Amino acid sequence: MIRRFSSLQTRKAGKSLGETFLVDRLRDAVAYDRIAGYFSLSILEVAGEAMAHIPKVRVVCNSQVSLNTVGTPEGVSWGLYKSQIWKEFAASGILEREVPKDLLELLYKYLDSGRLEVRILPEERFGLIHGKAGVLTLRDGAKTSFLGSANESAGGWRLNYELVWEDDSPEAIDWVQNEFDELWGDSSAIPLTREVIEEIQRLAKRSVIGLGEWKESPNPEPASAIIETPVYRKQNGLWAHQKYFVQKVFEDHKTLGGARYVLADQVGLGKTLQLAMSAQLIALLGDKPILIIAPKTLLLQWQQELLDLLDVPSAVWDGKAWNDEKGVRYEDKTATAILRCPRKIGLISQGLISRNSDTVSHLLKGNYDCVILDEAHRARRSNLPRIEDQEYGTPEDANNLYKFMLKIAKKTNTLLLATATPVQLHPVEAWDLLYILNQSYDGILGNGYSSWMKPSEAVSYTLGESSFSGTLEEFWKWVRNPLPPSSEYSRENIEVFQILRDSLELADREWIAKPEDLERLDPPAKDRLRELQESYFSYHNPFIRHIIQRTRAYLETTLDPDTNRPILDKVEVKLFGENEDESLELGSYQSDAYELARDYCRLLAKEKRGAGFLETLLLRRIGSSMVAGKRTAYKLLHGESEPETFESLFEDEEEEVDFGTVTPPPVVGEKANILQRIINLLDSGNEEDPKAKKVYEILTKGVEGSEPWLHRGCIIFSSFYDTALSLAGDLSKKLPELKIGLYAGSNRSAILLDGRLTRTDRNLVKKMVQSGEIKILIGTDAASEGLNLQTLGSLINFDLPWNPTKLEQRKGRIQRIGQKYEKIFLFNMRYRDSVEDNVHRKLSERLEAVMDLFGQIPDTLEDAWVEEALGREAEAEKLIRDRTEKHPFAIKYNKNALTFSKSWEKTFEVLNEYERRDLLEKGW
């Protein structure tokens, strides 16, 4: 029998559609299957009591989760799936709305018990689910079905104008049930995540505490100040390795009077977020300023991430005035204006310190709760010892940034240094960073009498080059100064340092035990000390304790104890262009021009030995592109740029690496002849650059059976601006319907459409890439740092940078947390028999070992490229061999680094948002 219901008619009777139809049916039901456009917890406002006794309710509904990025349950990218479901849940407004707690608690109980199951179908699977229907099974075994416009929400059943037709005929029931079963059982239907279910419980139990109450509690929870920040409300929250670092810094700051660490995570693992979150927590605990020092190019990214991810205000010093997160500039003409930051957190450029600015020197007059140095490897001694040296001392001669850090380390409680490459040339560089941390804080390397204060011995024992075989008294010298805190566990998870400290009655803030304390140890403690000798130098040395380094490979293969899933979703790299036959063949004119460029560089090297960059400049640029090579030859020969062309619409070259910063010597004689021949060859031929041709082919057709890379989005890197600009123009003409982004420094970013170029701010280019409006981005190495491009699934290195670290930095733009593809594509381009091809061949056998030892390729391998370019192949071979076999430092990772006493996601007390924001908006 068919019954028809209208909310218009039911209202005339003084009831809602939900009361008239749904509630009545649910009271007599034992099962309920529902197809809904979307599901809302507000249904409990309508039918909560009526649903209370139903053993099983199943709802299948819509989602904007993408099949292209998530896939079927068998191939699901779990992190992305969680992230997308979470974002939809947050966007529903549940986190902002004052939903009655009893409804939240009821919903949690239904979902947690399994009595209510919700499955979500990606919209692209069947389109938007406009069909709404349901089947109810009643106590007596009878069934009924209905179709209508009402969603499973309070609006659908109580407020809106809706129509419902009920039909209890067997044919109708079977028809609706079959429709439900097909949607419910679809391979793309994915269950509501556990994270969402537990968040509903957290909100049901949520309570707000004041800032004072939080600070004064015996054990304030860091999660209370973090769990409702945008990174949790709008994104996927923090990963286990990030929480570990933040919690460790927070606990050390509270209990030890300060945290001192080098954060050396691999590129793409979220160092900035970990540091920013630590800074916020310390700012909330204390009353002194927070100072963040970063490269100028990263300052605005720091400020934006603080605001977007943590809702933390900050101010950036531009050299003359402070600028807050709203763009307000605080004019102050006094010499000490830098000491009046309008926010609790202030950011300044490393460059100002490196130039020894008088203004920046005023910072040393202040005292800080926390100082953070990003890209900390730039603070270094001037003259490193040779790798074979057996003895070397402290950094007597260091750059201005290093000297500044030694001084400001004494003015702060917590000091955090961040770098993906703590070692570039020599293992003492890692010791040098620890030496900064140790200033006025003896818990890192100990006091002036500590054995760890002798860098050559400390490095030798840590690397295992020397093995300790002394007496217990001699061993005690190493252990006691500094004595690790009681929280440090032995390799066997024994509280050995707690036992030693308890025996000596030493508090955690007392870092130095006395020589005679060895005899004061009780027998069990002395036994533990003897057992410690075997593992101490490998597992408890200061390098291990204070350099925290996680590699992507480790995190992708280690299980999170909370979820029993890998800590990090694997982002696999599928590498193309690596085989010898995949290098690109130059045309005849181009090949002749390249060989002439090689001759030119060798001639120049004979005249002026040692200027490696200048000697190889022409070869670097012609190896990038024929356009760049021709322009360089022209400028070397004539001392000026070519006449106005598309490639010279902007000022010359990218800062730091480009030709415009170099003044070439006068060119005469044979060199001048070579340069003219290069220009003539490149002018006379109509050969398309093989790289440009290959890029277009990869973007539109794919490679080795892959889909066209344009479909997944692609970033194309070049070391040189004119190469990038020329390629952008070429692609824009071939793909006229597409917007192509050009990302570069010095205000030279642009958007190209149908060959027309529009200069624009590079932040706008970045936003257009992240929103999906731009699918092809061409970038100089200005795009290789501080840029998050998880929306792109492929990368082409149009040229290989001679500083190999940049390869990792480039890859880190897309191989990072939040990448939407489980596998990213990467193509390395090089001309056959070029310098890049020859060095790549020599490096390829050792590259994996280099990466394992360094976490990144060391910058110093650039020297190998120079030697190869100048024909000194034996020297190139030796450099590669030395830097891989005589590796600088392999930092082990503490396997206990992912143990938490409490899951942050189950924190029920949250910090008062107004008090939190008010404190952070106060100035120094």
Side-chain angles (χ1 to χ4, degrees), residues 317-319 338 348-358 360:
W317 177 258
D318 65 11
I338 197 169
I348 68 166
S349 166
Q350 279 184 9
L352 294 173
I353 297 171
S354 297
R355 292 195 295 272
N356 212 13
S357 162
D358 289 338
V360 175

Side-chain angles (χ1 to χ4, degrees), residues 313-552:
S314 63
V316 172
W317 177 258
D318 65 11
K320 295 181 180 179
W322 288 102
N323 300 266
D324 71 17
E325 75 287 347
K326 299 173 185 174
V328 177
R329 194 168 190 266
Y330 295 76
E331 297 287 351
D332 188 337
K333 302 296 184 183
T334 62
T336 57
I338 197 169
L339 294 177
R340 286 182 286 282
C341 178
R343 296 288 184 260
K344 189 72 178 287
I345 297 176
L347 300 108
I348 68 166
S349 166
Q350 279 184 9
L352 294 173
I353 297 171
S354 297
R355 292 195 295 272
N356 212 13
S357 162
D358 289 338
T359 305
V360 175
S361 66
H362 290 296
L363 290 170
L364 296 173
K365 298 175 183 176
N367 291 293
Y368 305 88
D369 271 325
C370 176
V371 172
I372 294 172
L373 176 64
D374 200 3
E375 303 295 339
H377 58 271
R378 299 185 182 189
R380 57 192 307 173
R381 60 171 76 195
S382 300
N383 295 305
L384 287 169
R386 295 173 302 173
I387 197 80
E388 61 269 19
D389 286 349
Q390 298 298 312
E391 293 292 332
Y392 39 86
T394 56
E396 302 298 331
D397 185 20
N399 64 17
N400 288 332
L401 182 58
Y402 191 91
K403 292 174 183 176
F404 180 87
M405 293 308 301
L406 287 177
K407 293 174 184 176
I408 206 163
K410 299 174 182 177
K411 311 284 287 183
T412 185
N413 296 323
T414 285
L415 179 59
L416 305 174
L417 309 178
T419 171
T421 51
V423 171
Q424 297 276 332
L425 255 176
H426 194 285
V428 76
E429 293 175 282
W431 186 92
D432 287 346
L433 294 179
L434 296 181
Y435 187 62
I436 294 175
L437 297 181
N438 200 65
Q439 302 302 302
S440 297
Y441 190 96
D442 294 339
I444 314 299
L445 295 171
N447 62 23
Y449 300 100
S450 169
S451 299
W452 290 107
M453 289 290 282
K454 301 171 184 175
S456 55
E457 291 184 41
V459 168
S460 180
Y461 277 122
T462 300
L463 287 177
E465 294 174 347
S466 301
S467 56
F468 185 82
S469 58
T471 63
L472 189 63
E473 288 75 15
E474 291 169 326
F475 177 58
W476 178 239
K477 284 172 55 181
W478 289 90
V479 176
R480 70 172 186 83
N481 189 359
L483 185 63
S486 55
S487 57
E488 177 88 358
Y489 278 65
S490 74
R491 187 180 177 184
E492 294 76 23
N493 284 326
I494 297 171
E495 297 172 314
V496 60
F497 298 104
Q498 177 75 64
I499 293 168
L500 293 175
R501 286 182 171 276
D502 286 349
S503 181
L504 299 174
E505 298 181 338
L506 276 180
D508 265 345
R509 294 196 188 194
E510 297 179 76
W511 296 112
I512 316 300
K514 300 173 183 177
E516 58 268 25
D517 283 344
L518 177 62
E519 298 307 316
R520 291 180 52 220
L521 291 173
D522 57 38
K526 194 171 283 190
D527 288 342
R528 290 299 185 196
L529 182 63
R530 289 191 183 93
E531 294 169 4
L532 190 62
Q533 281 185 256
E534 183 181 345
S535 61
Y536 174 77
F537 288 99
S538 297
Y539 289 89
H540 303 287
N541 65 72
F543 297 88
I544 301 303
R545 289 174 41 232
H546 290 280
I547 299 178
I548 295 180
Q549 184 193 54
R550 282 75 63 95
T551 65
R552 175 170 288 279

